[in-house]
Amino acid sequence: MELQFDPEGTPFVMWDEHRIQLERAPATEEEYVEKAERELRETPEVVEKGIAELRDLLKKDTSLFVPHNDDNYLMKFLRPSKFYPESALKRIQAYYKFRRSHESYCCNLLPSAVRSAFDHSIISILAPRDQHGRRIMLVESGDRWQPRLVPLKEVFRGVQLALESAMSEPKTQINGVIVILDMKGLSFSQVMQFTPSFAKMVVDWIQDCIPIRLKAVHIVNQPYIFNMLFAIFKPFLREKLRSRIHFHGSDSQALLAHVDPRALRKRHGGSLSEPEITGEVLWKMLHHYEENFKGIG
């Protein structure tokens, strides 16, 4: 499958009947408006008040250099904070503190500088949304991951880049993201790439920094050695995130109890046709938005 462009120059790819692209337009459909109000307190009055108050808070914090006049930027942090400005401010502060504290993982986080994880199809967000409108992120850190070619650091940078793109989508801000970790073929040498300090960094980033609604993590095809890997991460998981992690092994029916097969690849029990969308196509799509990534800071 190849990347295509519509008359406005927006890149997209077709998978069966699904047109898949970064959906950066406002979420004006009734179902999204109702869900945002029900789950996030989002009404025109709450939005207006939240944006104004968060903007004032950011102006007072002279340590932050952020685009506080950009409503879309503020909404990215307000939605997962349910429009409580103080909570959104804490998330912004944590987000940038993380980027400063882990500069080697976060500097130059642009498609032009982050490619290897996509070239090897380790990461993908190009699939139809699930039955709840959630964006699906697939990370294949078993057979497809060769640390010699794609160091663990570059895998994490690729994950950050993919989620940054998802965070720009109003529909994803409202509905959230689910992650599928395919561990088929995980080896001892791969497990040894992980350290407690790396695990803590990643979990802190997920739990306290990124402005995204992570609704579930589905771990599939994990071999017995995965227990050793999970033991490195487990001490840093708070109950909220731990309760959203599901282990399915090779039981595709267990995954299908959570995710509609129309949004899944055949090898995960789904009905999407072959061939799959390659990581190279995803990279090309993200590269189209290179200038937008430069504004992340």
Side-chain angles (χ1 to χ4, degrees):
M1 282 176 267
E2 292 294 327
L3 201 62
Q4 304 178 58
F5 293 86
D6 67 15
E8 286 74 42
T10 301
F12 69 95
V13 63
M14 296 299 298
W15 196 345
D16 295 338
E17 74 276 15
H18 306 287
R19 173 174 164 145
I20 303 168
Q21 63 186 59
L22 291 187
E23 299 171 327
R24 303 166 66 88
T28 56
E29 295 90 337
E30 184 177 354
E31 62 181 298
Y32 291 103
V33 173
E34 291 178 352
K35 186 171 186 177
E37 181 174 358
R38 182 174 65 252
E39 297 186 8
L40 307 178
R41 307 190 314 122
E42 185 172 337
T43 65
E45 296 76 21
V46 169
V47 169
E48 182 179 5
K49 184 172 183 288
I51 287 176
E53 292 184 7
L54 178 55
R55 181 171 288 132
D56 287 342
L57 290 171
L58 288 170
K59 288 178 180 178
K60 293 174 183 176
D61 190 337
T62 56
S63 67
L64 289 172
F65 298 92
V66 298
H68 54 72
N69 289 320
D70 184 345
D71 288 0
N72 291 329
Y73 171 85
L74 301 182
M75 287 291 285
K76 184 170 70 171
F77 288 91
L78 281 166
R79 278 186 168 125
S81 303
K82 298 187 178 179
F83 289 91
Y84 292 107
E86 294 81 6
S87 296
L89 176 65
K90 289 181 180 177
R91 180 73 60 165
I92 292 173
Q93 290 170 331
Y95 176 81
Y96 286 101
K97 181 180 179 181
F98 180 91
R99 292 177 70 88
R100 290 191 298 268
S101 301
H102 304 284
E103 186 175 358
S104 65
Y105 288 91
C106 303
C107 68
N108 202 23
L109 205 61
L110 304 169
S112 58
V114 182
R115 184 160 185 172
S116 60
F118 300 107
D119 281 347
H120 292 265
S121 295
I122 296 170
I123 299 166
S124 179
I125 57 168
L126 293 187
R129 293 179 182 272
D130 75 357
Q131 69 272 25
H132 303 294
R134 300 174 298 193
R135 180 67 78 187
I136 300 173
M137 180 174 185
L138 172 64
V139 181
E140 303 193 68
S141 45
D143 287 337
R144 291 197 178 184
W145 177 37
Q146 300 179 56
R148 179 176 55 85
L149 301 176
V150 188
L152 180 59
K153 178 180 178 179
E154 290 305 308
V155 175
F156 181 50
R157 283 169 59 78
V159 168
Q160 288 185 79
L161 194 67
L163 283 182
E164 287 285 357
S165 66
M167 286 186 290
S168 70
E169 301 179 301
K171 289 181 179 179
T172 304
Q173 293 168 13
I174 293 169
N175 291 323
V177 167
I178 67 170
V179 177
I180 299 174
L181 299 178
D182 191 335
M183 295 291 177
K184 184 179 180 181
L186 181 72
S187 67
F188 180 76
S189 63
Q190 290 172 321
V191 172
M192 294 304 294
Q193 302 293 315
F194 294 84
T195 63
S197 61
F198 177 85
K200 183 179 187 305
M201 177 188 69
V202 172
V203 174
D204 286 348
W205 176 69
I206 293 170
Q207 294 183 144
D208 299 320
C209 302
I210 56 171
I212 204 158
R213 306 183 74 198
L214 180 58
K215 307 301 290 183
V217 178
H218 297 283
I219 298 170
V220 301
N221 297 320
Q222 72 273 21
Y224 183 76
I225 198 173
F226 174 78
N227 294 334
M228 183 186 299
L229 177 58
F230 187 67
I232 301 174
F233 285 83
K234 191 174 181 179
F236 309 113
L237 299 171
R238 294 197 288 268
E239 178 56 33
K240 181 178 180 180
L241 179 55
R242 191 179 300 187
S243 68
R244 296 184 177 184
I245 300 175
H246 309 276
F247 303 93
H248 302 300
S250 58
D251 184 0
S252 60
Q253 291 302 311
L255 178 60
L256 293 177
H258 296 267
V259 186
D260 191 299
R262 290 173 293 183
L264 292 174
R265 294 154 174 79
K266 283 189 176 180
R267 57 201 164 94
H268 296 138
S271 58
L272 288 172
S273 66
E274 303 286 357
E276 299 179 2
I277 299 174
T278 65
E280 181 186 12
V281 172
L282 171 57
W283 182 86
K284 288 179 179 178
M285 183 178 290
L286 296 183
H287 190 258
H288 177 82
Y289 295 99
E290 176 97 3
E291 291 300 315
N292 298 95
F293 285 103
K294 290 180 180 179
I296 293 171

